[in-house]
Structures are given as C-alpha cells and as structure tokens.
Amino acid sequence: MKPARFTLLLITLAVLLVLSATGSALSGAVRIPLEALPELLMPAPNSQLTLWRGVLFDIRLPRIALGLLVGGALAVAGAVMQALFRNPLAEPGLVGVSVGGAVGAVGAIVLGYGQQPLVLAGAAFVGSLLATLAAWLLGRRVPGAAGILLAGIAINAFGGALIGVFTCLANDMQLRSLTFWNLGSLATADWAMLSWLVPWTLVLMGMLLWQWRALNALLLGEREALHLGFELQRLRARLILLVTLLVGPLVAVTGIIGFVGLVVPHLVRLVAGADHRSLLPLSLLAGALILVLADWVARLVVIPAELPIGIVTSLLGAPVLFMLIQREAR
C-alpha cells in the first residue's frame, strides 16, 4: 500500500474513533450537553455538574477505554490467526481462548465465586491458558497448522459441553450471570482494572505488530516461509502464545465478544490489501471503532437497560460476513 493512502486511512479511522468516543461519552440514560464539558473539568458548583462528572469520569470513560482496548486487540489477534492458519474464518477463539475462559468463569460462578471479580477473572484467564495449551499439545504433532486447527475445534466442542453441564447445575441467579457473561459486556470497566490491563495489552499488541514480516511470509506458504528463514514450529508457538496472553485477560474481564476478530480484518483487507505492515495497525483502529460503536448502540437501544454487547456485534457482524462470503463467491 502506498504511504499516502495508508496515512489517509489511518487519519480517517482516528477521526471517526474520536467522534464515536465523544458521542458515546455524552449520550445514554443520562445525557451530558457538549457545552458542559469545559465546566466538568472544574470543581463542581452544583449537584447537576457533580452527577455529570461522576457519570462521565467514573462510568463512561473507563468503559470507552476498555472498548478501545478490547476492540483493537481482538481485531489484531484475528488478523494474526487468519495469517497463521491461512484461513479467512480463523479468529482468536479458534484455539480455545474464548471457550476456555468461558469454562473458567462459568465454573467459578456455579461454584459460588461469581460475586468476587478477581476470582472470576482469574478463573477465566487460567481457563483460556489451559484450553490453548491443550490445543497446542494435541495438535503440534500433525505437520502444518491443520493439527492445531482440528485440536482447537475439539477443545471448543468439549468446552461447550462443560458449559452446558455447569448451566444445568446453576440456579436462577447464577443463570442470569452466565447469560450476561457469555454474551459479553464492558460494564465492569473501572480505572483500577485499566491501570494494569492497558500496559499489558499494549505491550502484547506491539509484539504482534512487530511480527508483520513473519505473517507476510506465512501468507506465501509454509515452504516459502521456510526458505525465507522462519522456523515454523517456533513461529506458530510464539504467535499462539502471544494471542492467548493478549486475548485471555480481555475475555476474563468482558466475557465473550464475537465477530470483531473475524470480520474486522476482512473489511480492512478489502481496503488496504493483505500486507500486514498496514493491515495490523488499521485493523487495530477499525476494531476499536467497531466495538465503541457497538457499545454505544447497546446502551441506547433499550434505555435505561442495556443489551449485552455480544448481541450487537453478532447482529452487525453476521450480515457483514454473509456479504463478504457472497462477494468472494462472485
């Protein structure tokens, strides 16, 4: 891609992201006027400004920040997985990251730890790591990426069965928690969580962005990648480990959010091409934009309640994926 075109796309996505984040911050069950923003930065002289400041700084801005982080990370991880498996339907959950996190969290909820956020997040993260490790150990003996792909499918099926067992054992209150966790939400966002999640996620995304040469080589084929000097077994292990460490903590705090990692890289690839030097940073911005918009819609559709964000991403992502399939068929 020409540098001028890449820069234009980057600036366009960044501007749309700022506008979307601003709109999301100001609207919802409590509407905040745009002209009141300067006053919110000063000590509040009345109770109305105090309310707006609390809603903006304690609820909406952490939520928007988490949406930016999760959307960008899922899109980058999806682009990496699609290159690694040379499969346009690959996404971060393919090797068990999402279902492992779901099993860990659902198990913690049913065992009575659902009211302890740290225990719930820890169980989900451990579940993600164990599921991915199992997929790797089962599939690595098969030449190429096919073994890991098939092992991931098996792990996802087994994890789905375990979730079904836990669901049958859950009481009514636990079932409500399971439903919202499995459909995803950004409502748990706060500054304390973001203080450790932001640096962790940014470092891992940076490490994945640095792998653009290896990802371009994988697109050429395994033999070509070997000729270019890449040791495929180590490369696969490194990429899967980075994706797991990136996505696992995010799944642990937001639940399962589908379609972002699958659809966003496709859309960006249509505009920017397959070169990962430009595809990865553009996917990061596009994923962040999509998730901020989805969360905005989720909060507005059924005010004063909200839809789980996973429902919104699925409703938006499924038709887009269908159109992409139709486009490829032509």
Side-chain angles (χ1 to χ4, degrees):
M1 172 183 282
K2 295 181 179 179
R5 180 177 173 80
F6 171 72
T7 303
L8 178 61
L9 288 172
L10 208 65
I11 293 173
T12 301
L13 285 172
V15 170
L16 291 174
L17 192 55
V18 171
L19 293 175
S20 301
T22 303
S24 180
L26 298 180
S27 58
V30 176
R31 183 181 174 276
I32 301 174
L34 181 62
E35 59 271 16
L37 280 181
E39 296 180 73
L40 293 179
L41 302 177
M42 303 294 187
N46 60 58
S47 58
Q48 182 64 68
L49 288 178
T50 301
L51 171 65
W52 287 344
R53 179 183 284 111
V55 170
L56 180 63
F57 291 103
D58 297 334
I59 298 175
R60 290 186 184 162
L61 288 184
R63 186 169 179 146
I64 291 169
L66 183 60
L68 295 173
L69 204 65
V70 174
L74 289 177
V76 168
V80 170
M81 296 297 283
Q82 288 169 14
L84 176 61
F85 291 104
R86 299 185 66 196
N87 185 334
L89 296 179
E91 52 96 26
L94 191 64
V95 291
V97 180
S98 297
V99 77
V103 170
V106 168
I109 290 170
V110 173
L111 292 174
Y113 297 101
Q115 303 303 317
Q116 302 179 38
L118 288 178
V119 175
L120 189 64
F125 183 42
V126 171
S128 296
L129 290 177
L130 291 178
T132 307
L133 178 62
W136 173 255
L137 293 176
L138 290 171
R140 66 176 180 172
R141 297 184 182 277
V142 178
I148 303 171
L149 184 62
L150 292 172
I153 293 172
I155 293 295
N156 277 287
F158 183 68
L162 288 179
I163 292 171
V165 171
F166 283 127
T167 302
C168 290
L169 298 175
N171 58 39
D172 290 343
M173 186 174 294
Q174 290 170 342
L175 281 174
R176 183 173 178 82
S177 298
L178 296 183
T179 300
F180 276 89
W181 198 92
N182 281 320
L183 293 175
S185 174
L186 303 181
T188 58
D190 58 45
W191 294 119
M193 173 201 299
L194 290 169
S195 66
W196 63 266
L197 194 59
V198 168
W200 175 277
T201 304
L202 291 180
V203 167
L204 287 164
M205 278 200 293
M207 294 173 72
L208 283 174
L209 291 174
W210 191 252
Q211 300 295 317
W212 66 269
R213 291 184 179 86
L215 295 171
N216 281 348
L218 286 172
L219 288 181
L220 299 174
E222 294 186 354
R223 183 177 300 177
E224 288 76 8
L226 280 171
H227 289 162
L228 290 171
F230 294 99
E231 206 286 300
L232 293 184
Q233 194 77 351
R234 288 185 178 180
L235 178 59
R236 287 194 198 99
R238 181 167 68 250
L239 291 176
I240 290 174
L241 177 63
L242 288 175
V243 167
T244 303
L245 292 176
L246 173 63
V247 176
L250 301 178
V251 171
V253 299
T254 66
I256 298 175
I257 298 176
F259 279 96
V260 176
L262 177 62
V263 172
V264 170
H266 275 292
L267 295 175
V268 175
R269 203 176 284 114
L270 290 176
V271 178
D275 184 358
H276 286 83
R277 188 174 190 176
S278 54
L279 176 64
L280 291 177
L282 290 175
S283 294
L284 191 160
L285 287 178
L289 173 62
I290 292 296
L291 203 60
V292 168
L293 288 173
D295 185 56
W296 190 5
V297 170
R299 291 192 297 104
L300 291 180
V301 171
V302 289
I303 288 177
E306 66 176 69
L307 285 175
I309 194 171
I311 292 178
V312 179
T313 57
S314 296
L315 287 173
L316 295 175
V320 171
L321 182 60
F322 178 74
M323 288 188 291
L324 290 171
I325 293 172
Q326 292 293 102
R327 184 180 183 275
E328 292 295 326
R330 297 195 191 101

PDB file of all heavy atoms in Angstrom, residues 62-87:
ATOM      1  N   PRO A  62     -14.082   5.061  31.484  1.00  0.00           N
ATOM      2  CA  PRO A  62     -13.442   3.740  31.620  1.00  0.00           C
ATOM      3  C   PRO A  62     -14.032   2.708  30.665  1.00  0.00           C
ATOM      4  O   PRO A  62     -13.310   1.883  30.115  1.00  0.00           O
ATOM      5  CB  PRO A  62     -13.719   3.367  33.087  1.00  0.00           C
ATOM      6  CG  PRO A  62     -13.980   4.643  33.779  1.00  0.00           C
ATOM      7  CD  PRO A  62     -14.633   5.534  32.768  1.00  0.00           C
ATOM      8  N   ARG A  63     -15.327   2.788  30.449  1.00  0.00           N
ATOM      9  CA  ARG A  63     -15.985   1.837  29.549  1.00  0.00           C
ATOM     10  C   ARG A  63     -15.517   2.039  28.110  1.00  0.00           C
ATOM     11  O   ARG A  63     -15.263   1.075  27.382  1.00  0.00           O
ATOM     12  CB  ARG A  63     -17.490   2.029  29.664  1.00  0.00           C
ATOM     13  CG  ARG A  63     -18.306   1.032  28.910  1.00  0.00           C
ATOM     14  CD  ARG A  63     -19.754   1.137  29.297  1.00  0.00           C
ATOM     15  NE  ARG A  63     -20.557   0.183  28.562  1.00  0.00           N
ATOM     16  CZ  ARG A  63     -21.630  -0.419  29.055  1.00  0.00           C
ATOM     17  NH1 ARG A  63     -22.026  -0.168  30.279  1.00  0.00           N
ATOM     18  NH2 ARG A  63     -22.316  -1.270  28.318  1.00  0.00           N
ATOM     19  N   ILE A  64     -15.419   3.289  27.691  1.00  0.00           N
ATOM     20  CA  ILE A  64     -14.938   3.581  26.334  1.00  0.00           C
ATOM     21  C   ILE A  64     -13.484   3.137  26.180  1.00  0.00           C
ATOM     22  O   ILE A  64     -13.104   2.554  25.157  1.00  0.00           O
ATOM     23  CB  ILE A  64     -15.093   5.079  26.029  1.00  0.00           C
ATOM     24  CG1 ILE A  64     -16.576   5.428  25.905  1.00  0.00           C
ATOM     25  CG2 ILE A  64     -14.353   5.466  24.755  1.00  0.00           C
ATOM     26  CD1 ILE A  64     -16.857   6.912  25.873  1.00  0.00           C
ATOM     27  N   ALA A  65     -12.657   3.404  27.193  1.00  0.00           N
ATOM     28  CA  ALA A  65     -11.257   2.981  27.136  1.00  0.00           C
ATOM     29  C   ALA A  65     -11.141   1.463  27.014  1.00  0.00           C
ATOM     30  O   ALA A  65     -10.326   0.943  26.235  1.00  0.00           O
ATOM     31  CB  ALA A  65     -10.511   3.467  28.376  1.00  0.00           C
ATOM     32  N   LEU A  66     -11.968   0.741  27.774  1.00  0.00           N
ATOM     33  CA  LEU A  66     -11.947  -0.716  27.676  1.00  0.00           C
ATOM     34  C   LEU A  66     -12.415  -1.175  26.300  1.00  0.00           C
ATOM     35  O   LEU A  66     -11.854  -2.119  25.719  1.00  0.00           O
ATOM     36  CB  LEU A  66     -12.840  -1.320  28.767  1.00  0.00           C
ATOM     37  CG  LEU A  66     -12.866  -2.855  28.838  1.00  0.00           C
ATOM     38  CD1 LEU A  66     -11.475  -3.419  29.099  1.00  0.00           C
ATOM     39  CD2 LEU A  66     -13.847  -3.329  29.912  1.00  0.00           C
ATOM     40  N   GLY A  67     -13.425  -0.504  25.738  1.00  0.00           N
ATOM     41  CA  GLY A  67     -13.886  -0.843  24.397  1.00  0.00           C
ATOM     42  C   GLY A  67     -12.808  -0.626  23.349  1.00  0.00           C
ATOM     43  O   GLY A  67     -12.622  -1.460  22.448  1.00  0.00           O
ATOM     44  N   LEU A  68     -12.085   0.490  23.446  1.00  0.00           N
ATOM     45  CA  LEU A  68     -10.972   0.738  22.527  1.00  0.00           C
ATOM     46  C   LEU A  68      -9.937  -0.372  22.615  1.00  0.00           C
ATOM     47  O   LEU A  68      -9.445  -0.880  21.594  1.00  0.00           O
ATOM     48  CB  LEU A  68     -10.319   2.084  22.856  1.00  0.00           C
ATOM     49  CG  LEU A  68     -11.148   3.348  22.664  1.00  0.00           C
ATOM     50  CD1 LEU A  68     -10.407   4.562  23.209  1.00  0.00           C
ATOM     51  CD2 LEU A  68     -11.463   3.560  21.197  1.00  0.00           C
ATOM     52  N   LEU A  69      -9.607  -0.738  23.841  1.00  0.00           N
ATOM     53  CA  LEU A  69      -8.576  -1.743  24.081  1.00  0.00           C
ATOM     54  C   LEU A  69      -8.995  -3.111  23.554  1.00  0.00           C
ATOM     55  O   LEU A  69      -8.253  -3.764  22.810  1.00  0.00           O
ATOM     56  CB  LEU A  69      -8.312  -1.809  25.581  1.00  0.00           C
ATOM     57  CG  LEU A  69      -6.949  -2.325  26.057  1.00  0.00           C
ATOM     58  CD1 LEU A  69      -5.854  -1.385  25.614  1.00  0.00           C
ATOM     59  CD2 LEU A  69      -6.961  -2.459  27.574  1.00  0.00           C
ATOM     60  N   VAL A  70     -10.201  -3.535  23.915  1.00  0.00           N
ATOM     61  CA  VAL A  70     -10.673  -4.869  23.548  1.00  0.00           C
ATOM     62  C   VAL A  70     -10.909  -4.966  22.042  1.00  0.00           C
ATOM     63  O   VAL A  70     -10.521  -5.949  21.398  1.00  0.00           O
ATOM     64  CB  VAL A  70     -11.960  -5.217  24.323  1.00  0.00           C
ATOM     65  CG1 VAL A  70     -12.552  -6.532  23.841  1.00  0.00           C
ATOM     66  CG2 VAL A  70     -11.672  -5.295  25.810  1.00  0.00           C
ATOM     67  N   GLY A  71     -11.550  -3.955  21.454  1.00  0.00           N
ATOM     68  CA  GLY A  71     -11.809  -3.985  20.020  1.00  0.00           C
ATOM     69  C   GLY A  71     -10.526  -4.042  19.199  1.00  0.00           C
ATOM     70  O   GLY A  71     -10.411  -4.841  18.272  1.00  0.00           O
ATOM     71  N   GLY A  72      -9.552  -3.195  19.552  1.00  0.00           N
ATOM     72  CA  GLY A  72      -8.284  -3.210  18.830  1.00  0.00           C
ATOM     73  C   GLY A  72      -7.552  -4.524  18.989  1.00  0.00           C
ATOM     74  O   GLY A  72      -7.013  -5.080  18.016  1.00  0.00           O
ATOM     75  N   ALA A  73      -7.536  -5.065  20.210  1.00  0.00           N
ATOM     76  CA  ALA A  73      -6.813  -6.319  20.460  1.00  0.00           C
ATOM     77  C   ALA A  73      -7.458  -7.490  19.731  1.00  0.00           C
ATOM     78  O   ALA A  73      -6.762  -8.333  19.147  1.00  0.00           O
ATOM     79  CB  ALA A  73      -6.766  -6.585  21.963  1.00  0.00           C
ATOM     80  N   LEU A  74      -8.789  -7.578  19.755  1.00  0.00           N
ATOM     81  CA  LEU A  74      -9.465  -8.685  19.074  1.00  0.00           C
ATOM     82  C   LEU A  74      -9.236  -8.633  17.565  1.00  0.00           C
ATOM     83  O   LEU A  74      -9.039  -9.670  16.921  1.00  0.00           O
ATOM     84  CB  LEU A  74     -10.964  -8.645  19.376  1.00  0.00           C
ATOM     85  CG  LEU A  74     -11.388  -9.011  20.798  1.00  0.00           C
ATOM     86  CD1 LEU A  74     -12.897  -8.842  20.952  1.00  0.00           C
ATOM     87  CD2 LEU A  74     -10.973 -10.431  21.151  1.00  0.00           C
ATOM     88  N   ALA A  75      -9.252  -7.436  16.989  1.00  0.00           N
ATOM     89  CA  ALA A  75      -9.039  -7.313  15.548  1.00  0.00           C
ATOM     90  C   ALA A  75      -7.613  -7.689  15.165  1.00  0.00           C
ATOM     91  O   ALA A  75      -7.388  -8.396  14.168  1.00  0.00           O
ATOM     92  CB  ALA A  75      -9.348  -5.880  15.101  1.00  0.00           C
ATOM     93  N   VAL A  76      -6.631  -7.247  15.944  1.00  0.00           N
ATOM     94  CA  VAL A  76      -5.237  -7.608  15.673  1.00  0.00           C
ATOM     95  C   VAL A  76      -5.045  -9.115  15.819  1.00  0.00           C
ATOM     96  O   VAL A  76      -4.418  -9.770  14.975  1.00  0.00           O
ATOM     97  CB  VAL A  76      -4.283  -6.843  16.617  1.00  0.00           C
ATOM     98  CG1 VAL A  76      -2.873  -7.415  16.550  1.00  0.00           C
ATOM     99  CG2 VAL A  76      -4.261  -5.357  16.254  1.00  0.00           C
ATOM    100  N   ALA A  77      -5.604  -9.685  16.892  1.00  0.00           N
ATOM    101  CA  ALA A  77      -5.478 -11.129  17.103  1.00  0.00           C
ATOM    102  C   ALA A  77      -6.153 -11.903  15.977  1.00  0.00           C
ATOM    103  O   ALA A  77      -5.641 -12.939  15.529  1.00  0.00           O
ATOM    104  CB  ALA A  77      -6.092 -11.508  18.447  1.00  0.00           C
ATOM    105  N   GLY A  78      -7.298 -11.412  15.483  1.00  0.00           N
ATOM    106  CA  GLY A  78      -7.967 -12.072  14.374  1.00  0.00           C
ATOM    107  C   GLY A  78      -7.142 -12.053  13.104  1.00  0.00           C
ATOM    108  O   GLY A  78      -7.046 -13.062  12.386  1.00  0.00           O
ATOM    109  N   ALA A  79      -6.517 -10.914  12.793  1.00  0.00           N
ATOM    110  CA  ALA A  79      -5.668 -10.829  11.606  1.00  0.00           C
ATOM    111  C   ALA A  79      -4.480 -11.784  11.715  1.00  0.00           C
ATOM    112  O   ALA A  79      -4.081 -12.432  10.727  1.00  0.00           O
ATOM    113  CB  ALA A  79      -5.176  -9.392  11.423  1.00  0.00           C
ATOM    114  N   VAL A  80      -3.909 -11.894  12.906  1.00  0.00           N
ATOM    115  CA  VAL A  80      -2.780 -12.812  13.117  1.00  0.00           C
ATOM    116  C   VAL A  80      -3.216 -14.258  12.922  1.00  0.00           C
ATOM    117  O   VAL A  80      -2.539 -15.051  12.250  1.00  0.00           O
ATOM    118  CB  VAL A  80      -2.185 -12.614  14.529  1.00  0.00           C
ATOM    119  CG1 VAL A  80      -1.187 -13.721  14.860  1.00  0.00           C
ATOM    120  CG2 VAL A  80      -1.510 -11.252  14.628  1.00  0.00           C
ATOM    121  N   MET A  81      -4.358 -14.639  13.484  1.00  0.00           N
ATOM    122  CA  MET A  81      -4.831 -16.018  13.371  1.00  0.00           C
ATOM    123  C   MET A  81      -5.171 -16.370  11.929  1.00  0.00           C
ATOM    124  O   MET A  81      -4.922 -17.495  11.474  1.00  0.00           O
ATOM    125  CB  MET A  81      -6.054 -16.212  14.267  1.00  0.00           C
ATOM    126  CG  MET A  81      -5.780 -16.043  15.745  1.00  0.00           C
ATOM    127  SD  MET A  81      -4.620 -17.266  16.393  1.00  0.00           S
ATOM    128  CE  MET A  81      -5.674 -18.700  16.502  1.00  0.00           C
ATOM    129  N   GLN A  82      -5.729 -15.437  11.191  1.00  0.00           N
ATOM    130  CA  GLN A  82      -6.063 -15.710   9.794  1.00  0.00           C
ATOM    131  C   GLN A  82      -4.811 -15.927   8.951  1.00  0.00           C
ATOM    132  O   GLN A  82      -4.801 -16.753   8.035  1.00  0.00           O
ATOM    133  CB  GLN A  82      -6.915 -14.568   9.239  1.00  0.00           C
ATOM    134  CG  GLN A  82      -8.324 -14.560   9.803  1.00  0.00           C
ATOM    135  CD  GLN A  82      -9.106 -13.305   9.496  1.00  0.00           C
ATOM    136  OE1 GLN A  82      -8.716 -12.504   8.631  1.00  0.00           O
ATOM    137  NE2 GLN A  82     -10.212 -13.098  10.191  1.00  0.00           N
ATOM    138  N   ALA A  83      -3.745 -15.202   9.256  1.00  0.00           N
ATOM    139  CA  ALA A  83      -2.489 -15.426   8.550  1.00  0.00           C
ATOM    140  C   ALA A  83      -1.821 -16.727   8.997  1.00  0.00           C
ATOM    141  O   ALA A  83      -1.286 -17.478   8.181  1.00  0.00           O
ATOM    142  CB  ALA A  83      -1.540 -14.247   8.792  1.00  0.00           C
ATOM    143  N   LEU A  84      -1.876 -17.000  10.298  1.00  0.00           N
ATOM    144  CA  LEU A  84      -1.225 -18.194  10.834  1.00  0.00           C
ATOM    145  C   LEU A  84      -1.824 -19.468  10.251  1.00  0.00           C
ATOM    146  O   LEU A  84      -1.096 -20.398   9.878  1.00  0.00           O
ATOM    147  CB  LEU A  84      -1.361 -18.200  12.360  1.00  0.00           C
ATOM    148  CG  LEU A  84      -0.811 -19.421  13.107  1.00  0.00           C
ATOM    149  CD1 LEU A  84       0.681 -19.576  12.870  1.00  0.00           C
ATOM    150  CD2 LEU A  84      -1.097 -19.296  14.589  1.00  0.00           C
ATOM    151  N   PHE A  85      -3.157 -19.514  10.160  1.00  0.00           N
ATOM    152  CA  PHE A  85      -3.819 -20.719   9.655  1.00  0.00           C
ATOM    153  C   PHE A  85      -4.147 -20.632   8.171  1.00  0.00           C
ATOM    154  O   PHE A  85      -4.694 -21.586   7.620  1.00  0.00           O
ATOM    155  CB  PHE A  85      -5.099 -20.976  10.457  1.00  0.00           C
ATOM    156  CG  PHE A  85      -4.846 -21.395  11.875  1.00  0.00           C
ATOM    157  CD1 PHE A  85      -5.019 -20.515  12.918  1.00  0.00           C
ATOM    158  CD2 PHE A  85      -4.406 -22.674  12.169  1.00  0.00           C
ATOM    159  CE1 PHE A  85      -4.777 -20.890  14.226  1.00  0.00           C
ATOM    160  CE2 PHE A  85      -4.166 -23.069  13.469  1.00  0.00           C
ATOM    161  CZ  PHE A  85      -4.345 -22.174  14.508  1.00  0.00           C
ATOM    162  N   ARG A  86      -3.846 -19.486   7.565  1.00  0.00           N
ATOM    163  CA  ARG A  86      -4.169 -19.251   6.156  1.00  0.00           C
ATOM    164  C   ARG A  86      -5.631 -19.608   5.910  1.00  0.00           C
ATOM    165  O   ARG A  86      -5.983 -20.273   4.934  1.00  0.00           O
ATOM    166  CB  ARG A  86      -3.243 -20.069   5.257  1.00  0.00           C
ATOM    167  CG  ARG A  86      -1.762 -19.726   5.418  1.00  0.00           C
ATOM    168  CD  ARG A  86      -0.897 -20.468   4.437  1.00  0.00           C
ATOM    169  NE  ARG A  86      -1.175 -20.029   3.071  1.00  0.00           N
ATOM    170  CZ  ARG A  86      -0.798 -20.717   1.986  1.00  0.00           C
ATOM    171  NH1 ARG A  86      -0.165 -21.853   2.113  1.00  0.00           N
ATOM    172  NH2 ARG A  86      -1.080 -20.249   0.790  1.00  0.00           N
ATOM    173  N   ASN A  87      -6.464 -19.151   6.831  1.00  0.00           N
ATOM    174  CA  ASN A  87      -7.891 -19.473   6.801  1.00  0.00           C
ATOM    175  C   ASN A  87      -8.674 -18.201   7.104  1.00  0.00           C
ATOM    176  O   ASN A  87      -8.528 -17.629   8.190  1.00  0.00           O
ATOM    177  CB  ASN A  87      -8.202 -20.549   7.848  1.00  0.00           C
ATOM    178  CG  ASN A  87      -9.646 -21.031   7.784  1.00  0.00           C
ATOM    179  OD1 ASN A  87     -10.530 -20.320   7.341  1.00  0.00           O
ATOM    180  ND2 ASN A  87      -9.878 -22.249   8.219  1.00  0.00           N
TER     181      ASN A  87
END
